[in-house]
Amino acid sequence: MAHRISIFLSIFMTVHGDTIRLTATSTKQSYIFYAAPTDRIIITAAKTEQLVRLGIKSTYNLSDEDCATSAVNVTSGAYICGGAMSAYHRPRFIRSPQYPLRGTPFRVQSCIWAIAGLNNERVSITVKSATFSTIDCSTFNVTIFDGEITSDTRTLGTWCGGAGKTFFSYWRFLYIIAAGQRHLPAGFEIEYTAIPDPQRPIVNISLEQKATPEVIMSPGPLKIYSEFEELRWLGHSQQRVVVNITVLNASMEHTQDCDTDSIRIHLDSNPAQAAIGLGWCGGDLPSYEVFTSRLMVVFRAYPSTETHKGFSLQYSILDTPTCGGNLTATESVQHLMTPNYPGPYQGHQKCQWLIRTTDPMKMVKLTFTTTVLISNCISESVRMYDGTNEQAREIGYRCRYNRQNDNTYRSESRFMLIVFTSIIDNKDRSGFKASYVEESCGYALDAVRGKRIVLNSPGYPGNYSSGGNCTWTIAGKAVALRFIDMNIPCSGDSITFSDRGSTELKRKWEICGNKAHNYITIGNSMSINFVTTTGRGAGFKLTYERLTSMYGCAGDVRQVAVTSHKSTIRSVGYPTGYFDDLHCRWHFKTRYGGIEINFTIADINTDGSTCTDAIRVYDGSNTTARLLMERCSPGNFSLKSTGRSLYVEFVTDSVNVGSGFVMRCSSFKVQKTSQTDYKTTFIAVGGIIGPVIIVIACFVVCSSKRRRCNSRRTVFQSQGMHTPAPSAATGTAVDLQVYPFPPSFSNPSPPSYSEIGPLEA
């Protein structure tokens, strides 16, 4: 059933059953509203000259800009009032329900008003009533507090009726509580406004590490504070540091709630931020340790007629937090946890634990059983390091509610550092609990693609102990191992690498000494066995990772289809360095034309003039083709095939390695001869062959004529004709017989070849 609410323009309020009536003596106009039985009706009123402005909302604790707030339960008629206010330079008011025509009801639940000044301004309030009657404060009172509701506060005073009373806040927050079980005639009115806050001195302090602690002291030694006084010390650091703060001595006005003189420590430059604890004003001398980059110490002294000495405290920057400690792992399971576990730990702190095994050849195994931190890893986290400081390799981290799949972490050395940091407040999170134990060296490793993980021998870089036998295994192909450091004497100590296939041992290396090596698996797994007998070496440090590709070095020939677009192939490990005992093979082939490869050789290991590691290129599809090149010297060069295939192999030994090389390959078209080229070639060939044919033809003709002349001479001699003999002196004819020319023959038939006989030269 809906409830009808009649409201008249007035400041006189009555409740009749389910009707709320606000009546004015100067007008008969009324406004009718309806509300459900469960609604809380907030009635706000503001008077400007002759106008009264009213508003009704079905929400709780809303406040009007100019006046009071009050809530009325339409069923029970009980009043619930309060709200958040902002103080300005012009006065504003808070009025009790029905003020001033009628007093407060007999039952007033806690009415809380929180008032905040602008920026750093203070708040001034005056509490008064329309009458001057007073009552017992235990039955009704208005109490004013200096501070925020959610932080530490100081009681400024209590008003229980009578004459008006004024209070001042000592900083920008103030709140008021009105409550009672007795009727207060005419009710009350609170006027509040913002007033300027005097400039408070700030002393800058250093948060840099120094040889001796720094000391902060209040003014003194003896002083009577007639006015409120607040002193601030402010420090900044570029990065978060662990600050230890210890109160050395103090003589201040002591109350249970520290609402008089007090020391407060803030982790911000704004004193409005929550302080560590609730402040301190006496009793046992406290000590704090915080992890922060900003620190403010605030000393407040309220007006007093007593003489007090003040206080002094010291602060210092710590290398190692006192939270945590040094632990020794044994074969028995032990536990570590955040302070106060399973209760809430202190926020803004740093804790670290350094775990060390009893045997240098053993390692630390850490297992989390509970982790209750926030999910933001920047604000809170626990991190594990493989060493004695935070510069060592990070093993892993945790920051969520047990969301990691693996709760176990192992060190590669005998040390593990656990660091817990929190840079936020904490009231309910319990932190973490973990178990730790030492275990024998050697276990299964998980190689991650694209991430180099460090593996150290036990005790590295210190000397390992004798009698050790550690075996690590890594599953999968294309796992690269690179030595960073190696110091294993060859007098009984060694490290053996076994590259295994599914059923057979593919390759094996047993090494010692101090030469660096790089290996890569071509089988299904790699085992690393480290055996010590002397204990005189530092051991080894290497990295392992899973490669995205074997780059033609997995034991088979990599087939590469070449097109006109250039493709790039790098030697495995380039440019960090290739690996020992490699045999990489590439078969480049194209469908049309030929293949061109441009090599850029950065560094390939040599032994003087001998190519211990070398690139070989064959003009064909395998090593039986013609060898075009064998090279190991650095530089840039190009090669072209005569056909549609090129075969390249890269072979390394087990001594040293270089950075490697880059190949860029593409196909090219074979140049076709044009018709113009044919004509040019024909003319050139004709120009050479033509004269030769002419010479031969002339020679044949001349030879034929000579034979004919000899034949005729023979015929003349056989018919009695002769020629004169030449003179010996002149070589000319002396007995010249002149015959009529041409000679006349009685048409004899020419002799046959048989009659002539053989020709004589």
Side-chain angles (χ1 to χ4, degrees), residues 32 174 218 223 342 392 504 508 577 592 649 657 679 709 716 738:
I32 306 299
L174 177 146
S218 62
K223 187 173 182 179
E504 77 284 359
K508 184 177 181 180
Y592 306 104
E649 68 175 356
V657 297
K679 291 180 180 180
C709 291
F716 293 155
V738 179

Side-chain angles (χ1 to χ4, degrees), residues 13 18 23 49 95 134 176 247 408 512 528 676 713 715 729:
M13 182 185 297
D18 56 0
T23 307
E49 297 178 352
R95 297 181 178 92
T134 60
I176 305 164
V247 178
T408 300
C512 58
I528 306 169
T676 303
R713 186 176 57 189
V715 172

Side-chain angles (χ1 to χ4, degrees), residues 128-317:
K128 63 182 180 179
S129 176
T131 65
F132 291 98
S133 61
T134 60
I135 61 173
D136 185 359
C137 288
S138 62
T139 58
F140 182 86
N141 66 78
V142 177
T143 307
I144 298 91
F145 298 88
D146 180 30
E148 290 183 280
I149 299 176
T150 57
S151 66
D152 53 308
T153 58
R154 175 182 185 270
T155 303
L156 295 178
T158 302
W159 181 84
C160 308
K165 196 172 183 179
T166 301
F167 303 89
F168 297 93
S169 71
Y170 290 103
W171 55 319
R172 64 183 295 257
F173 293 103
L174 177 146
Y175 74 95
I176 305 164
I177 297 179
Q181 298 296 323
R182 182 176 175 182
H183 174 74
L184 179 66
F188 60 88
E189 179 185 67
I190 300 173
E191 177 184 335
Y192 62 96
T193 184
I195 59 176
D197 187 24
Q199 185 68 32
R200 306 192 188 281
I202 297 179
V203 180
N204 292 320
I205 59 176
S206 172
L207 290 185
E208 297 179 356
Q209 191 171 25
K210 297 184 179 181
T212 57
E214 296 285 314
V215 177
I216 295 175
M217 300 179 63
S218 62
L222 299 177
K223 187 173 182 179
I224 296 176
Y225 300 104
S226 58
E227 297 290 340
F228 173 77
E229 187 167 348
E230 180 179 283
L231 302 177
R232 303 176 185 178
W233 292 262
L234 178 64
H236 299 270
S237 176
Q238 295 295 327
Q239 58 184 5
R240 295 184 184 276
V241 293
V242 179
V243 186
N244 179 269
I245 306 164
T246 302
V247 178
L248 300 176
N249 57 71
S251 177
M252 299 182 294
E253 185 176 352
H254 175 58
T255 60
Q256 183 177 359
D257 298 328
C258 290
D259 56 1
T260 54
D261 302 344
S262 65
I263 301 171
R264 289 172 170 82
I265 300 172
H266 303 265
L267 302 183
D268 197 276
S269 57
N270 182 2
Q273 299 294 326
I276 300 174
L278 296 177
W280 183 83
C281 55
D284 296 336
L285 299 179
S287 180
Y288 305 99
E289 186 172 299
V290 293
F291 185 54
T292 183
S293 60
R294 303 168 74 91
L295 179 70
M296 174 174 277
V297 179
V298 178
F299 170 64
R300 289 177 181 165
Y302 289 87
S304 174
T305 58
E306 300 182 15
T307 301
H308 299 284
K309 295 181 180 180
F311 77 97
S312 66
L313 62 81
Q314 71 177 19
Y315 71 94
S316 58
I317 310 302

Side-chain angles (χ1 to χ4, degrees), residues 491-624:
S491 55
D493 301 342
S494 65
I495 180 170
T496 302
F497 297 86
S498 300
D499 188 5
R500 301 181 180 278
S502 300
T503 57
E504 77 284 359
L505 178 65
K506 290 187 173 292
R507 297 184 300 177
K508 184 177 181 180
W509 304 273
E510 184 174 350
I511 60 175
C512 58
N514 55 13
K515 287 187 177 181
H517 296 269
N518 291 352
Y519 298 116
I520 189 170
T521 61
I522 62 174
N524 297 325
S525 65
M526 168 77 81
S527 65
I528 306 169
N529 180 238
F530 180 46
V531 178
T532 68
T533 58
T534 64
R536 295 197 300 267
F540 65 87
K541 181 179 182 179
L542 60 82
T543 64
Y544 61 93
E545 67 172 316
R546 188 180 302 280
L547 302 179
T548 56
S549 172
M550 285 293 289
Y551 303 91
C553 304
D556 54 351
V557 180
R558 183 178 179 182
Q559 304 294 325
V560 182
V562 182
T563 65
S564 58
H565 299 286
K566 279 193 175 182
S567 58
T568 301
I569 295 178
R570 296 172 176 85
S571 58
V572 59
Y574 181 89
T576 304
Y578 52 83
F579 299 88
D580 294 316
D581 295 321
L582 287 178
H583 189 187
C584 309
R585 294 169 290 179
W586 299 271
H587 178 203
F588 299 92
K589 52 187 177 180
T590 184
R591 297 180 62 183
Y592 306 104
I595 300 172
E596 180 180 7
I597 299 183
N598 298 304
F599 285 88
T600 299
I601 299 179
D603 177 36
I604 294 180
N605 180 52
T606 61
D607 184 8
S609 59
T610 304
C611 290
T612 55
D613 303 338
I615 303 172
R616 300 185 184 96
V617 183
Y618 299 88
D619 190 15
S621 59
N622 52 51
T623 56
T624 62

Side-chain angles (χ1 to χ4, degrees), residues 687-735:
I688 298 173
I689 298 177
V692 175
I693 293 175
I694 293 173
V695 172
I696 295 174
C698 291
F699 178 76
V700 172
V701 171
C702 291
S703 297
S704 175
K705 288 183 178 181
R706 184 179 178 185
R707 288 181 183 141
R708 288 183 182 178
C709 291
N710 290 337
S711 174
R712 288 180 180 178
R713 186 176 57 189
T714 304
V715 172
F716 293 155
Q717 290 176 354
S718 64
Q719 294 179 356
M721 293 184 287
H722 65 278
T723 59
S727 169
T730 63
T732 60
V734 291
D735 295 332

